[in-house]
Amino acid sequence: MNTSLFGLACVGLGGGAGAVFRHFVSSAVARKFGHGTFGTLAVNITGCLLIGMIAGFSVAPGDTAAMPTPWWLLLVVGLCGGYTTVSSFSLQTLTLVREGHGGPALLNIGASLVLCLSAAAIGFALVHSLGVIQ
């Protein structure tokens, strides 16, 4: 793990940008659909798509890392880490359960798992299918 000052700056810069993007996307979706859970789900799906695409760009033929460490720290650890919202997902799901909305809580869990995992796989495959990585 790169703990140099430059590496930490990369994580901080990416994390700050990711948090701002998370607030923007989550708020916009929540306003459109009337509930914060949908905003969090949208952020987690798009974050998984993004991290899948970044991973797709970073894996060279033969599965060797092609992305330099500072870029990985900036984009994956910082940007995607600051953007995705597993803690918000957990709290909102717990709130649904505590309020007696077990069905929507289970739906949120299932949708998050299936859609986010699928988005990461799609992002990775998309980069490779477009011939971006030879």
Side-chain angles (χ1 to χ4, degrees):
M1 177 174 199
N2 187 346
T3 57
S4 71
L5 188 56
F6 180 70
L8 294 175
C10 289
V11 171
L13 181 64
V20 169
F21 292 140
R22 175 182 68 223
H23 176 69
F24 175 76
V25 171
S26 181
S27 296
V29 171
R31 276 192 307 276
K32 174 91 174 150
F33 293 101
H35 197 284
T37 301
F38 295 113
T40 300
L41 182 60
V43 164
N44 286 337
I45 293 168
T46 57
C48 289
L49 178 65
L50 179 62
I51 205 168
M53 292 177 74
I54 293 168
F57 279 112
S58 71
V59 176
D63 290 330
T64 58
M67 183 176 286
T69 300
W71 285 106
W72 187 264
L73 292 173
L74 177 75
L75 297 173
V76 172
V77 178
L79 183 70
C80 291
Y83 180 68
T84 57
T85 56
V86 124
S87 58
S88 296
F89 155 77
S90 299
L91 181 59
Q92 289 169 344
T93 303
L94 178 62
T95 299
L96 287 170
V97 169
R98 292 186 69 212
E99 292 175 351
H101 304 292
L106 287 175
L107 182 61
N108 190 40
I109 292 166
S112 293
L113 178 64
V114 170
L115 295 172
C116 292
L117 183 57
S118 296
I122 290 166
F124 189 89
L126 182 64
V127 168
H128 286 274
S129 70
L130 294 175
V132 176
I133 302 295
Q134 299 297 328

